[in-house]
Amino acid sequence: LGFYTFYNAKGISYFSDSSEACNNCHIMNDVYADYLKSSHSKKIAGQPRASCGDCHLPHGFVDKWIAKAQSGVGHAYAFTFKLDELPTNLSANEKSKDIVQANCISCHYEMVSNVINPTTNPHGDNSLKCVSCHQGVGHSRGF
């Protein structure tokens, strides 16, 4: 039964960095469609500028796989046992928001270092986040 579920849910695709894997579940259809319209999905030499994982997962090898496993187990549990409680659109939790902020700075450091010093946080948790102004860059829902 577990093997059938893993196969039917395209479980092997989650070991890739492909954004298509994130769209295996119907709840992600709108978010994925938004991503395909965004500048991050535009391909350069056959590869998108950024995949879902480039923004939503830590860039370190070990941290990435830990986050991917935690997310996968959490999603599998929710879609199996809490289907009636799922929201129409998913929202990022604080940990995910922190990862996205760090990844924005990491990829765009050369540009943002002229505007702010991203290595310091003088305003604590109330400091301006990249998505405060750039809400629709990756996708327009759920952040």
Side-chain angles (χ1 to χ4, degrees), residues 66-80:
I66 289 172
K68 207 168 194 177
Q70 289 172 333
S71 180
V73 169
H75 290 153
Y77 179 81
F79 286 115
T80 303

Side-chain angles (χ1 to χ4, degrees), residues 8-10 13-14 16-36 51-53 75 79 89-90 139:
N8 192 43
K10 303 176 187 168
S13 70
Y14 295 106
S16 75
D17 288 327
S18 171
S19 294
E20 288 84 2
C22 297
N23 195 40
N24 285 345
C25 177
H26 67 87
I27 199 169
M28 296 301 292
N29 287 345
D30 290 338
V31 174
Y32 184 69
D34 288 344
Y35 162 75
L36 290 177
S51 68
C52 297
H75 290 153
F79 286 115
N89 294 306
L90 299 176
H139 48 79

Side-chain angles (χ1 to χ4, degrees), residues 38 46 49 73 85 90 132 138:
S38 76
R49 288 181 182 165
V73 169
E85 300 173 28
L90 299 176
S132 297

